[in-house]
C-alpha cells in the first residue's frame, strides 16, 4: 500500500506518534526541553533535506533511532542563534 502525502502538515500528523515517543524518551534521558517539533525540524532540515522518495517506515526508523545528543546539539544551536539575533537587534 503506497501512501502519498500532499503536505508536510499531513506527513507530520502521520509521524506524530513516533515524534512523541522520541520526545518522551528524551525527557526520560533528561532533555526535558526537547519537543516533537525539535525532532521533526532536525530530521526535515538536516537528515532528510536531500532525500528523495523516503518511505514512511524509514522516516519512523529515523525518528526512533536518531541520537538524542544530536537532537540536543541541534536545539542548542537554534537557541544560541535565536539569542544572538535578539541580542544584536537590541544593540
Amino acid at each position: 500500500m503506497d501512501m502519498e502525502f500532499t503536505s508536510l502538515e499531513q506527513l507530520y500528523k502521520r509521524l506524530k506518534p513516533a515524534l512523541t515517543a522520541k520526545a518522551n524518551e528524551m525527557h526520560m534521558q533528561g532533555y526535558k526541553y526537547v519537543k516533537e517539533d525539535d525532532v521533526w525540524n532536525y530530521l526535515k532540515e538536516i537528515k532528510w533535506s536531500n532525500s528523495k522518495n523516503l518511505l514512511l517506515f524509514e522516516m519512523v526508523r529515523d525518528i526512533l533511532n536518531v541520537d538524542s545528543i544530536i537532537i540536543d546539539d541541534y536545539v542548542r544551536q537554534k537557541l544560541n542563534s535565536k539569542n544572538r539575533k535578539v541580542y544584536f537587534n537590541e544593540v
Side-chain angles (χ1 to χ4, degrees), residues 3-11:
M3 291 182 116
E4 290 192 27
F5 299 95
T6 56
S7 70
L8 281 176
E9 181 181 352
Q10 191 180 41
L11 177 60

Side-chain angles (χ1 to χ4, degrees), residues 14-86:
R14 185 69 173 169
L15 292 171
K16 182 102 164 101
L19 294 165
T20 300
K22 184 62 178 183
N24 288 339
E25 174 189 313
M26 291 187 70
H27 293 171
M28 288 188 291
Q29 294 172 337
Y31 304 104
K32 304 274 186 217
Y33 48 88
V34 173
K35 301 176 196 146
E36 291 93 351
D37 285 350
D38 297 322
V39 177
W40 166 256
N41 288 328
Y42 166 76
L43 291 165
K44 183 179 66 158
E45 294 171 15
I46 308 296
K47 178 136 176 92
W48 300 330
S49 66
N50 294 320
S51 298
K52 302 239 188 278
N53 299 319
L54 281 170
L55 299 174
L56 193 60
F57 85 88
E58 294 171 317
M59 297 177 91
V60 170
R61 181 191 61 210
D62 288 345
I63 292 166
L64 297 177
N65 291 320
V66 65
D67 193 331
S68 296
I69 294 170
I70 292 172
I71 299 296
D72 177 54
D73 287 344
Y74 171 81
V75 171
R76 288 176 186 268
Q77 285 178 348
K78 286 290 186 177
L79 288 173
N80 286 337
S81 175
K82 205 178 282 187
N83 289 340
R84 273 190 236 128
K85 286 179 186 174
V86 169

